[in-house]
Amino acid sequence: MNWFVEVVKKYAVFSGRARRKEYWMYTLFYMIFAVVASIVDLAVLGSQILSLVMALGLLLPSLGVTVRRLHDTGRSGWWILIALIPLVGGIVLLVFLCLDGEAGANKHGENPKFVQAHA
């Protein structure tokens, strides 16, 4: 849960780098909250308003952590737009998000694994 809260605190930060763990833990909790919101929407509200509000509220944090994750792999944040290409784009983006970050510092900052381990 800490990983999710940290990403939300940096909701509009598009610079720097994000570890794989940070990205995937955020994604895990996002999906859990999305499923719960969908169940509440269907069972109680009869609409999808709660899911829509959650998705809009977490749009910037989601984009921010994805861009920082791409920075960790040495890519520009603009690579997020590859997901707009049907089928192939999403697969390519998924591969980029799963790759390990660059070992040392890159043009986007220090390696977050090294910084967190020695901070």
Side-chain angles (χ1 to χ4, degrees):
M1 187 69 174
N2 251 358
W3 292 103
F4 185 84
V5 172
E6 288 300 316
V7 169
V8 172
K9 283 181 184 177
K10 298 187 277 188
Y11 71 95
V13 176
F14 294 92
S15 60
R17 296 168 65 171
R19 295 175 59 184
R20 273 188 298 193
K21 186 173 185 177
E22 179 181 0
Y23 176 80
W24 290 110
M25 291 302 287
Y26 172 81
T27 302
L28 172 68
F29 281 102
Y30 181 94
M31 294 307 291
I32 290 170
F33 294 148
V35 168
V36 169
S38 294
I39 291 170
V40 170
D41 277 340
L42 291 173
V44 178
L45 302 175
S47 67
Q48 294 185 343
I49 191 71
L50 187 60
S51 296
L52 179 64
V53 168
M54 188 197 86
L56 287 175
L58 294 175
L59 178 65
L60 277 179
S62 299
L63 289 173
V65 75
T66 304
V67 167
R68 290 193 311 271
R69 179 73 204 119
L70 288 168
H71 287 173
D72 192 41
T73 62
R75 290 171 179 78
S76 167
W78 289 105
W79 275 98
I80 199 170
L81 297 176
I82 199 167
L84 297 174
I85 299 172
L87 187 63
V88 176
I91 294 169
V92 170
L93 184 61
L94 179 64
V95 169
F96 287 166
L97 296 172
C98 290
L99 291 174
D100 195 14
E102 291 184 342
N106 66 15
K107 65 182 177 180
H108 302 288
E110 291 292 323
N111 186 340
K113 286 183 186 178
F114 184 73
V115 171
Q116 289 179 357
H118 293 88

